[in-house]
Amino acid sequence: HCPFNRSNIPLPTHLNCLSKKIIFEDKEKRTLVTTQRVLPWQHFVMCLSDVVIPQDIPSYYFEVTCVTMGQNRDGVLSIGVYRSDKPTKVALDLGRIPGSVGVSSDGYACVYPTRPKETGCIWSQGDVIGCGVDRFTGSVFFTANGKFVTEIQAKLSNYHSYYAALCLSYAGARLTVNFGQQPFAYNFAKSRFVPVELGGTAPKYMEDEPSSG
């Protein structure tokens, strides 16, 4: 269900996490549960895709479903992208730490080090949140329940690699991640972020065209 799955380029398929606070419920490592509370503003649990987002495709997209949001009301969940050369032990959510862009369950999107942008979208149980990268513009965009929410000019650099990322401080949260193995809630394949020759509405993709940022 990802328009680039037909290529020979390695794409993310699952999440990895070194923290003992995360348990994967399935062998595919796409459904995870947090087992302990993580105190906000002290330490968040970071999960990263198994491989970085390829630089030689024009865009990329993935989704996270909030099956349950967890037990602590002051917890935060965020998804986005994270630079591969940055540490995985973090004290804030995505968008508020160096090398990251993210959208959070408290209704804000941000690219470090700019001020958070209010999205008007507070997440709740059952919501499907999406994150996409547009290599043409260097921007990152976000969706909720199949609808476009916002786009941030993140100026992603072709000199750096980025993981698809998830960061949270909830106890008892249960989440599933979809890297295109299942149909997306948002029609990414027909969107303006996918080149017209692959079924989208973006201008024809030129591999030798440089990205901004």
Side-chain angles (χ1 to χ4, degrees):
H1 300 283
C2 172
F4 309 111
N5 278 342
R6 295 183 294 272
S7 68
N8 294 322
I9 302 170
L11 297 173
T13 61
H14 62 272
L15 292 173
N16 287 324
C17 183
L18 298 178
S19 174
K20 295 181 179 179
K21 296 181 174 70
I22 293 288
I23 293 177
F24 289 99
E25 289 190 335
D26 57 342
K27 63 181 181 180
E28 292 83 11
K29 300 178 73 174
R30 295 196 294 266
T31 300
L32 60 93
V33 176
T34 51
T35 60
Q36 302 177 40
R37 180 175 179 177
V38 185
L39 296 177
W41 316 113
Q42 292 186 20
H43 180 57
F44 280 63
V45 174
M46 174 83 79
C47 297
L48 301 174
S49 55
D50 56 318
V51 297
V52 295
I53 298 169
Q55 294 183 340
D56 45 1
I57 57 176
S59 58
Y60 186 75
Y61 180 77
F62 71 101
E63 290 181 340
V64 172
T65 299
C66 307
V67 181
T68 58
M69 289 296 289
Q71 301 164 2
N72 46 306
R73 294 182 179 180
D74 54 353
V76 177
L77 164 65
S78 62
I79 72 168
V81 297
Y82 190 56
R83 252 175 57 180
S84 61
D85 60 336
K86 296 298 182 180
T88 57
K89 186 174 182 179
V90 295
L92 294 171
D93 51 326
L94 294 167
R96 295 181 171 95
I97 51 177
S100 72
V101 187
V103 66
S104 300
S105 56
D106 57 3
Y108 289 90
C110 189
V111 52
Y112 184 89
T114 64
R115 293 173 61 88
K117 174 183 178 181
E118 191 169 357
T119 65
C121 180
I122 306 294
W123 307 355
S124 58
Q125 182 172 313
D127 283 346
V128 180
I129 310 300
C131 171
V133 172
D134 184 349
R135 283 290 186 181
F136 278 135
T137 63
S139 65
V140 178
F141 64 94
F142 301 102
T143 68
N145 301 317
K147 296 182 179 180
F148 180 85
V149 173
T150 190
E151 184 174 4
I152 294 180
Q153 180 45 257
K155 298 182 180 179
L156 298 185
S157 171
N158 283 336
Y159 295 104
H160 296 289
S161 299
Y162 297 84
Y163 287 107
L166 184 155
C167 192
L168 69 163
S169 63
Y170 278 109
R174 185 170 184 266
L175 310 167
T176 61
V177 62
N178 179 13
F179 288 114
Q181 295 92 347
Q182 302 295 326
F184 290 127
Y186 175 69
N187 195 355
F188 173 62
K190 300 293 184 182
S191 73
R192 62 183 173 91
F193 302 104
V194 174
V196 67
E197 69 268 27
L198 293 177
T201 59
K204 188 172 181 180
Y205 177 51
M206 300 295 291
E207 291 188 5
D208 57 351
E209 182 175 338
S211 298
S212 61

